[in-house]
């Protein structure tokens, strides 16, 4: 049986094409097991069947306990670990390790340069190994590296451990995108991706409080920032061991569920039509991914949001302190930023759930970022009222974060085919890493404390972000209209109700019954 080719809706007017076997299966509304992963095939039938809402909710709650809670806590721990350098920046690490000039900026940039290099092989590996066990190994490894940061006393040592940190942490987000698509229905994925991604805000709250507590350590064998890294590293190692024991690798390998529950958990994601698992690398998927405008659209959204995020995150302590607050006050005020990020992300999910408008919601949350950034550049902190106002402006500047989160959930929902999704996720995180690498570098030491060049760069990112969002919406709506027109003309392959082939590892381009969310 041949591999289905990409099917341009404009060129398809009847149920004929390059793969007559595929079209014959469409007519008979049955699954072709030759295209289904062997593990998946054991738990699926050749035709789709309905699962009651009550049973579906019960299954989802069981999955949440084993998968979602682990993703949330893992990402929280990773966000805490990543945030340690920002908190340590005002706890004496720069003076104690002899950092000067752009040295501090490079400690963030070097992480993402490593991610740029390893992202494609990392995603290739994630689709071929037991994902929970690999995630467990990665957590243990980055915890050990984080603890070693406490032993560093110069710039070279810090760069070495930060590069290793980037290597091991690079598995986390791509693995979560794969897990979200594997375990959850399309309508559930936006909320699930947001729940774990909003741990960036939670770490600001908890991390700020813990950093405040560590800042109170003024004597003893270690400095306060050394205790910070050591404590977080040890906790990460212990948690990584727990993840390896508790989290299942896939619905098919989950020993914590009965055989019937496994079968139902597989079936409930059939109508996602994005596939579940396939360990065969398919070069036609690679080509389609690299030609697909939406893949590059998501990647550009990643870059235009992470470039501002990384700089604002790495320099948050320095920026807030420049408004005239003390070190301890700065640590506590970072907690408020965390609450704001959580509100923004939950608010964006609520709006998407009510309106089903992902891209327009992104657009709405970019507007406060324009306003906040412009005010940070034009208002001087010469009175207490203005200092408080600038602090609020700094908070609302991070409203664009919702675009980053919603774009990640759109990758898991809109890109079908295991290999194509792997390439799309890798491409996304390469651009994500590029943005994170550049972000701290636009905060130039000689431009402190107002950082006009950095904020002007951010405004440019927001402008490009708006253009990409509008372009992506045009492209996706156009694709859906083409397919709807084919279905109306009687083309069986374009009928959106035909979900019998959801596990055949077809790409969204090959499967005309697939519809995009936007």
């Amino acid at each position: 049986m041949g591999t289905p080719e990409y099917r341009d809706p404009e060129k398809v007017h009847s149920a004929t094409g390059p793969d007559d076997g595929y079209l014959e299966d469409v007519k008979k509304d049955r699954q072709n097991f030759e295209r289904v992963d062997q593990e998946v095939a054991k738990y699926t039938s050749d035709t789709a069947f309905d699962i009651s809402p009550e049973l579906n909710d019960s299954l989802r709650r069981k999955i949440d306990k084993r998968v979602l809670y682990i993703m949330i806590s893992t990402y929280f721990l990773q966000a805490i670990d990543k945030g340690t350098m920002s908190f340590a920046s005002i706890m004496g690490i720069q003076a104690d390790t002899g950092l000067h000039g752009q040295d501090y900026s490079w400690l963030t940039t070097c992480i993402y340069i490593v991610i740029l290099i390893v992202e494609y092989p990392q995603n290739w590996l994630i689709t071929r190994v037991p994902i929970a066990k690999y995630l467990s190994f990665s957590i243990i490894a980055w915890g050990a590296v984080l603890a070693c940061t406490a032993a560093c006393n110069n710039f070279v040592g810090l760069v070495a451990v930060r590069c290793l940190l980037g290597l091991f942490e690079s598995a986390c987000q791509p693995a979560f995108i794969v897990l979200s698509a594997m375990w959850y229905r399309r309508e559930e994925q936006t909320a699930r991706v947001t729940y774990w991604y909003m741990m960036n805000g939670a770490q600001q709250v908890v991390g700020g409080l813990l950093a405040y507590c560590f800042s109170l350590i003024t004597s003893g064998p270690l400095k306060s920032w050394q205790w910070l890294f050591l404590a977080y590293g040890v906790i990460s190692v212990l948690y990584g061991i727990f993840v390896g024991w508790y989290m299942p690798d896939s619905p098919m390998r989950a020993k914590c569920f009965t055989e019937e529950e496994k079968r139902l958990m597989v079936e409930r994601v059939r109508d996602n039509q994005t596939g579940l698992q396939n360990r065969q690398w398919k070069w036609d998927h690679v080509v389609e991914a690299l030609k697909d405008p939406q893949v590059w659209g998501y990647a550009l959204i990643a870059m235009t949001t992470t470039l501002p995020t990384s700089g604002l995150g790495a320099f948050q302590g320095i920026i807030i302190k420049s408004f005239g607050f003390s070190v301890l006050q700065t640590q506590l005020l970072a907690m408020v930023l965390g609450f704001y990020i959580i509100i923004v992300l939950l608010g964006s999910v609520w709006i998407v759930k009510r309106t089903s408008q992902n891209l327009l919601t992104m657009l709405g949350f970019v507007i406060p970022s324009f306003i906040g950034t412009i005010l940070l550049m034009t208002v001087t902190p010469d009175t207490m009222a203005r200092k408080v106002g600038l602090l609020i402006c700094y908070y609302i500047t991070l409203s664009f974060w919702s675009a980053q989160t919603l774009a990640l959930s759109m990758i898991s929902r809109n890109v079908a085919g295991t290999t194509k999704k792997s390439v799309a996720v890798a491409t996304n995180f390469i651009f994500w890493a590029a943005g994170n690498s550049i972000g701290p570098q636009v905060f130039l030491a000689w431009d402190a404390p107002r950082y006009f060049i950095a904020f002007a760069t951010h405004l440019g990112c927001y402008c490009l972000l708006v253009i990409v969002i509008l372009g992506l919406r045009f492209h996706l709506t156009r694709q859906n209209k083409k397919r709807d027109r084919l279905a109306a003309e009687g083309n069986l392959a374009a009928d959106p109700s035909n979900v019998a082939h959801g596990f055949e590892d077809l790409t969204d381009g090959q499967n005309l019954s697939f519809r995009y969310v936007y």
Side-chain angles (χ1 to χ4, degrees):
M1 185 70 67
T3 300
E5 298 177 6
Y6 173 79
R7 314 167 89 83
D8 187 340
E10 288 188 332
K11 298 178 180 178
V12 179
H13 296 289
S14 62
T16 59
D19 191 337
D20 294 333
Y22 166 72
L23 295 170
E24 186 64 27
D25 292 339
V26 169
K27 293 175 182 178
K28 295 180 179 179
D29 194 30
R30 62 181 174 81
Q31 181 170 262
N32 185 341
F33 280 92
E34 293 180 15
R35 299 195 187 101
V36 182
D37 180 82
Q38 291 183 358
E39 279 190 351
V40 177
K42 294 177 183 178
Y43 293 94
T44 185
S45 60
D46 62 349
T47 57
F49 61 86
D50 292 330
I51 299 175
S52 69
E54 295 77 16
L55 181 55
N56 196 51
D57 289 343
S58 174
L59 292 169
R60 188 187 65 246
R61 286 192 293 270
K62 290 181 179 181
I63 293 169
D64 283 345
K65 290 179 182 178
R66 287 283 179 168
V67 180
L68 178 63
Y69 296 168
I70 291 295
M71 290 197 294
I72 289 174
S73 53
T74 300
Y75 201 74
F76 172 72
L77 193 62
Q78 186 191 51
I80 282 275
D81 291 351
K82 280 185 176 178
T84 49
M85 187 57 70
S86 177
F87 291 119
S89 67
I90 55 174
M91 294 170 67
I93 190 172
Q94 296 190 67
D96 292 338
T97 57
L99 301 183
H100 54 83
Q102 291 295 107
D103 286 354
Y104 175 73
S105 297
W106 278 106
L107 295 182
T108 298
T109 296
C110 67
I111 288 180
Y112 298 105
I113 290 177
V114 171
I115 294 175
L116 276 169
I117 297 170
V118 304
E119 199 58 56
Y120 269 116
Q122 188 76 275
N123 277 269
W124 181 89
L125 194 59
I126 285 171
T127 60
R128 279 156 182 76
V129 298
I131 193 167
K133 303 302 182 292
Y134 187 60
L135 185 63
S136 170
F137 162 76
S138 299
I139 296 169
I140 293 170
W142 91 52
V145 169
L146 192 70
C148 291
T149 309
C152 296
N153 55 18
N154 57 44
F155 176 66
V156 174
L158 287 173
V159 168
V161 294
R162 298 291 281 179
C163 286
L164 288 173
L165 195 65
L167 171 63
F168 296 122
E169 288 191 347
S170 64
C172 186
Q173 288 184 330
F176 286 0
I177 297 296
V178 173
L179 287 167
S180 297
M182 178 185 292
W183 288 94
Y184 291 102
R185 295 169 60 84
R186 288 178 94 188
E187 62 268 24
E188 299 166 351
Q189 290 175 29
T190 302
R192 268 66 196 171
V193 170
T194 301
Y195 291 155
W196 57 259
Y197 206 76
M198 75 180 186
M199 290 302 103
N200 284 299
Q203 78 87 11
Q204 292 282 349
V205 178
V206 179
L209 182 61
L210 291 176
Y212 173 80
C213 295
F214 279 102
S215 296
L216 300 176
I217 300 175
T218 56
S219 61
L222 300 176
K223 302 291 181 66
S224 59
W225 63 266
Q226 291 176 310
W227 283 115
L228 187 71
F229 283 106
L230 186 60
Y232 288 175
V234 171
I235 291 172
S236 297
V237 170
L238 296 175
Y239 174 76
I241 296 172
F242 169 75
V243 169
W245 168 76
Y246 186 78
M247 187 182 193
D249 292 306
S250 69
M252 297 75 70
R253 294 189 178 190
K255 296 179 181 179
C256 52
F257 300 128
T258 66
E259 290 298 301
E260 178 63 15
E261 286 173 336
K262 293 178 187 179
R263 188 175 71 86
L264 292 171
M265 287 175 180
V266 169
E267 183 61 34
R268 72 187 291 272
V269 298
R270 181 195 289 269
D271 60 4
N272 288 356
Q273 301 208 71
T274 54
L276 199 155
Q277 172 182 289
N278 195 293
R279 305 200 185 282
Q280 180 184 354
W281 186 260
K282 300 177 180 178
W283 286 105
D284 59 314
H285 285 209
V286 176
V287 173
E288 182 179 322
L290 296 177
K291 290 181 177 180
D292 193 342
Q294 70 162 330
V295 171
W296 299 106
Y298 301 137
L300 286 172
I301 290 174
M303 188 175 72
T304 54
T305 52
T306 54
L307 194 154
T309 300
S310 61
L312 292 171
F315 283 81
Q316 70 168 10
I318 296 171
I319 293 172
I320 294 175
K321 189 179 178 184
S322 72
F323 297 151
F325 299 103
S326 68
V327 171
L328 297 182
Q329 289 173 332
T330 298
Q331 302 284 33
L332 294 175
L333 288 171
M335 296 169 60
V336 180
L337 176 61
F339 281 116
Y340 181 72
I341 291 172
I342 292 173
I343 291 170
V344 164
L345 297 184
L346 288 178
S348 64
V349 169
W350 183 85
I351 293 173
V352 168
K353 187 175 181 179
R354 294 296 184 277
T355 65
S356 299
Q357 294 293 335
N358 294 265
L359 293 168
L360 292 182
T361 300
M362 292 185 199
L363 208 56
F365 277 91
V366 176
I367 295 173
S369 299
F370 277 106
I371 297 172
T373 303
I374 291 171
L375 290 175
L376 284 172
M377 296 177 69
T378 56
V379 177
T380 55
D382 48 11
T383 66
M384 179 52 68
R386 288 191 172 189
K387 289 177 182 177
V388 174
L390 287 171
L391 182 63
I392 295 172
C393 288
Y394 177 72
Y395 292 156
I396 68 171
T397 295
L398 285 159
S399 298
F400 67 86
W401 213 321
S402 67
Q404 190 175 126
T405 309
L406 292 175
L408 284 176
S409 73
M410 289 181 71
I411 293 174
S412 71
R413 291 177 290 163
N414 275 352
V415 181
T418 303
T419 302
K420 182 178 180 181
K421 189 185 293 288
S422 178
V423 174
V425 171
T427 303
N428 181 83
F429 284 105
I430 284 174
F431 276 68
W432 175 88
N436 277 303
S437 300
I438 298 168
Q441 298 302 320
V442 300
F443 282 83
L444 303 172
W446 56 265
D447 197 30
R450 300 299 301 279
Y451 297 112
F452 289 111
I453 292 175
F455 289 125
T457 304
H458 293 179
L459 286 176
C461 287
Y462 305 147
C463 291
L464 179 56
L465 177 59
V466 169
I467 294 171
V468 172
I469 289 173
L470 293 175
L472 192 56
R473 191 173 194 276
F474 172 79
H475 171 71
L476 295 177
T477 54
R478 186 165 172 262
Q479 291 299 311
N480 279 356
K481 287 178 181 177
K482 290 178 182 178
R483 297 176 183 213
D484 289 342
R485 186 171 64 250
L486 289 173
E489 293 171 355
N491 189 316
L492 296 177
D495 185 352
S497 65
N498 178 24
V499 297
H501 311 279
F503 297 128
E504 293 181 13
D505 202 40
L506 299 173
T507 68
D508 50 281
Q510 294 167 341
N511 184 2
L512 293 180
S513 66
F514 188 90
R515 295 296 186 273
Y516 298 97
V517 295
Y518 55 84

